mmCIF file with all atom_site columns, all heavy atoms in Angstrom:
data_model
loop_
_atom_site.group_PDB
_atom_site.id
_atom_site.type_symbol
_atom_site.label_atom_id
_atom_site.label_alt_id
_atom_site.label_comp_id
_atom_site.label_asym_id
_atom_site.label_entity_id
_atom_site.label_seq_id
_atom_site.pdbx_PDB_ins_code
_atom_site.Cartn_x
_atom_site.Cartn_y
_atom_site.Cartn_z
_atom_site.occupancy
_atom_site.B_iso_or_equiv
_atom_site.pdbx_formal_charge
_atom_site.auth_seq_id
_atom_site.auth_comp_id
_atom_site.auth_asym_id
_atom_site.auth_atom_id
_atom_site.pdbx_PDB_model_num
ATOM 1  N N   . TYR B 1 96  ? 4.315   26.267 -73.681 1.00 94.00 ? 100 TYR B N   1
ATOM 2  C CA  . TYR B 1 96  ? 5.695   25.564 -73.624 1.00 94.00 ? 100 TYR B CA  1
ATOM 3  C C   . TYR B 1 96  ? 5.448   24.046 -73.912 1.00 94.00 ? 100 TYR B C   1
ATOM 4  O O   . TYR B 1 96  ? 4.795   23.474 -73.214 1.00 94.00 ? 100 TYR B O   1
ATOM 5  C CB  . TYR B 1 96  ? 6.395   25.844 -72.472 1.00 94.00 ? 100 TYR B CB  1
ATOM 6  C CG  . TYR B 1 96  ? 6.860   27.236 -72.278 1.00 94.00 ? 100 TYR B CG  1
ATOM 7  C CD1 . TYR B 1 96  ? 6.011   28.246 -71.613 1.00 94.00 ? 100 TYR B CD1 1
ATOM 8  C CD2 . TYR B 1 96  ? 8.004   27.799 -72.774 1.00 94.00 ? 100 TYR B CD2 1
ATOM 9  C CE1 . TYR B 1 96  ? 6.453   29.526 -71.440 1.00 94.00 ? 100 TYR B CE1 1
ATOM 10 C CE2 . TYR B 1 96  ? 8.368   28.976 -72.713 1.00 94.00 ? 100 TYR B CE2 1
ATOM 11 C CZ  . TYR B 1 96  ? 7.650   29.975 -72.072 1.00 94.00 ? 100 TYR B CZ  1
ATOM 12 O OH  . TYR B 1 96  ? 8.024   31.279 -71.882 1.00 94.00 ? 100 TYR B OH  1
ATOM 13 N N   . SER B 1 157 ? 3.093   0.200  -95.283 1.00 93.00 ? 161 SER B N   1
ATOM 14 C CA  . SER B 1 157 ? 3.052   -0.763 -94.326 1.00 93.00 ? 161 SER B CA  1
ATOM 15 C C   . SER B 1 157 ? 2.917   -0.175 -92.979 1.00 93.00 ? 161 SER B C   1
ATOM 16 O O   . SER B 1 157 ? 2.410   -0.747 -92.074 1.00 93.00 ? 161 SER B O   1
ATOM 17 C CB  . SER B 1 157 ? 4.438   -1.609 -94.433 1.00 93.00 ? 161 SER B CB  1
ATOM 18 O OG  . SER B 1 157 ? 5.564   -0.767 -93.881 1.00 93.00 ? 161 SER B OG  1
ATOM 19 N N   . ILE B 1 190 ? -8.052  8.392  -84.269 1.00 94.00 ? 194 ILE B N   1
ATOM 20 C CA  . ILE B 1 190 ? -6.981  8.069  -83.337 1.00 94.00 ? 194 ILE B CA  1
ATOM 21 C C   . ILE B 1 190 ? -5.750  7.623  -84.153 1.00 94.00 ? 194 ILE B C   1
ATOM 22 O O   . ILE B 1 190 ? -4.633  7.942  -83.881 1.00 94.00 ? 194 ILE B O   1
ATOM 23 C CB  . ILE B 1 190 ? -7.391  7.059  -82.298 1.00 94.00 ? 194 ILE B CB  1
ATOM 24 C CG1 . ILE B 1 190 ? -8.483  7.719  -81.456 1.00 94.00 ? 194 ILE B CG1 1
ATOM 25 C CG2 . ILE B 1 190 ? -6.377  6.559  -81.495 1.00 94.00 ? 194 ILE B CG2 1
ATOM 26 C CD1 . ILE B 1 190 ? -9.248  6.748  -80.678 1.00 94.00 ? 194 ILE B CD1 1
ATOM 27 N N   . PRO B 1 206 ? -13.541 12.809 -77.382 1.00 91.00 ? 210 PRO B N   1
ATOM 28 C CA  . PRO B 1 206 ? -13.526 11.656 -78.358 1.00 91.00 ? 210 PRO B CA  1
ATOM 29 C C   . PRO B 1 206 ? -14.551 10.594 -78.261 1.00 91.00 ? 210 PRO B C   1
ATOM 30 O O   . PRO B 1 206 ? -14.740 9.860  -79.182 1.00 91.00 ? 210 PRO B O   1
ATOM 31 C CB  . PRO B 1 206 ? -12.121 10.939 -77.985 1.00 91.00 ? 210 PRO B CB  1
ATOM 32 C CG  . PRO B 1 206 ? -11.851 11.423 -76.508 1.00 91.00 ? 210 PRO B CG  1
ATOM 33 C CD  . PRO B 1 206 ? -12.358 12.653 -76.361 1.00 91.00 ? 210 PRO B CD  1
ATOM 34 N N   . LYS B 1 257 ? -11.714 30.010 -67.706 1.00 94.00 ? 261 LYS B N   1
ATOM 35 C CA  . LYS B 1 257 ? -10.617 30.001 -66.696 1.00 94.00 ? 261 LYS B CA  1
ATOM 36 C C   . LYS B 1 257 ? -10.696 28.635 -65.987 1.00 94.00 ? 261 LYS B C   1
ATOM 37 O O   . LYS B 1 257 ? -11.627 27.931 -66.029 1.00 94.00 ? 261 LYS B O   1
ATOM 38 C CB  . LYS B 1 257 ? -10.984 31.055 -65.690 1.00 94.00 ? 261 LYS B CB  1
ATOM 39 C CG  . LYS B 1 257 ? -10.738 32.468 -66.060 1.00 94.00 ? 261 LYS B CG  1
ATOM 40 C CD  . LYS B 1 257 ? -10.652 33.399 -64.851 1.00 94.00 ? 261 LYS B CD  1
ATOM 41 C CE  . LYS B 1 257 ? -10.164 34.720 -65.127 1.00 94.00 ? 261 LYS B CE  1
ATOM 42 N NZ  . LYS B 1 257 ? -10.933 35.515 -66.004 1.00 94.00 ? 261 LYS B NZ  1
#
Side-chain angles (χ1 to χ4, degrees):
Chain B
Y100 289 93
S161 75
I194 294 167
K261 287 193 168 69

